[in-house]
Amino acid sequence: MSLSPSQFDALIHRAISSRDQGHFEAALADFNQAIAANDGHAAAFVHRAITYGQVGQLDAALADLDRAVSLAPEDIWVWTHRAIACGLMGQFDAAIESFGRALALDPNNVETLASRGETLREMGQFEAALDDLNRVLDLDAHYFGAWMSRGHIHIQLGHLDAAWTDFGQALQIANGHSDALLGQGEILRRQEQFDEALTVFSAVLNEMPEHL
């Protein structure tokens, strides 16, 4: 089946909209139709890979990302998503290699640096992860996820005062964010400030009645 450029774009955008609404089967059907009509479009493979990842089909996601890399080897977005997929599959060496390929194209890309930092944290390479996250925050001090990841690393290293500061910075960016509050609650619990920790956890629960 052939598609005009506008039809192809419409299918891709409809698929992304379906995916955003959690309609993964409909999204994949549209991506499949678009790719069958034009199998040389790297972004289509990346978007389908993201969808496969969301439904747990990581092998299919990685296959699509490998195809995307072959089509667009100079695209940092493609390499970054391949790295994330490899990390989710526990293929950490391949993930770090793909992050390296991405950052060779743009050493200061904060999204890629933050993602590599999170992967390094999962690998237990805390100092290397901190190096990446510190670079992110030097480039963009309002990057919420980097403050959060750095806070969790500091907890894992036992640097509770530094972790408290990181979660505090995250709360300045997103006031009342439950994940940042939970981080501070965990610090209070580890410091055996149990009444204060309970206050924080209860405050989070009060804002999330569906979890009660």
Side-chain angles (χ1 to χ4, degrees):
M1 174 183 177
S2 62
L3 297 172
S4 70
S6 60
Q7 288 174 321
F8 179 86
D9 289 343
L11 267 179
I12 295 297
H13 287 297
R14 187 172 73 175
I16 293 170
S17 296
S18 293
R19 183 184 68 205
D20 290 346
Q21 297 176 65
H23 303 152
F24 301 118
E25 186 174 338
L28 286 171
D30 279 348
F31 284 132
N32 291 343
Q33 184 179 347
I35 288 170
N38 180 0
D39 64 356
H41 196 279
F45 282 99
V46 175
H47 279 297
R48 189 171 70 175
I50 293 169
T51 310
Y52 277 137
Q54 289 179 309
V55 298
Q57 297 184 38
L58 297 178
D59 287 336
L62 187 56
D64 271 0
L65 290 164
D66 285 341
R67 174 62 174 157
V69 162
S70 73
L71 292 168
E74 302 302 315
D75 191 324
I76 186 172
W77 183 62
V78 172
W79 282 109
T80 298
H81 278 286
R82 186 182 189 279
I84 292 170
C86 289
L88 290 172
M89 297 177 72
Q91 298 179 15
F92 293 119
D93 289 343
I96 296 303
E97 180 183 358
S98 290
F99 280 128
R101 294 290 295 269
L103 290 167
L105 297 168
D106 181 1
N108 292 323
N109 186 285
V110 292
E111 297 287 347
T112 302
L113 283 168
S115 295
R116 187 174 70 174
E118 183 61 24
T119 298
L120 288 165
R121 178 170 82 91
E122 292 174 9
M123 296 170 65
Q125 296 186 22
F126 298 132
E127 296 302 328
L130 285 173
D131 286 343
D132 275 353
L133 295 169
N134 290 340
R135 284 178 64 193
V136 170
L137 293 170
D138 285 342
L139 293 163
D140 181 1
H142 292 90
Y143 199 108
F144 176 83
W147 288 113
M148 290 295 301
S149 292
R150 202 172 77 165
H152 286 300
I153 290 172
H154 281 138
I155 286 180
Q156 289 171 290
L157 292 172
H159 304 160
L160 300 185
D161 289 343
W164 183 271
T165 298
D166 286 342
F167 293 131
Q169 290 290 335
L171 287 167
Q172 288 188 30
I173 297 166
N175 185 40
H177 196 285
S178 59
D179 289 341
L181 289 171
L182 288 172
Q184 289 192 332
E186 174 62 13
I187 293 167
L188 292 168
R189 186 189 68 79
R190 289 176 180 240
Q191 292 175 331
E192 299 186 357
Q193 299 183 49
F194 299 120
D195 289 342
E196 292 85 349
L198 286 171
T199 298
V200 171
F201 295 140
S202 296
V204 172
L205 286 169
N206 287 336
E207 294 299 319
M208 304 169 64
E210 69 275 14
H211 290 265
L212 292 176

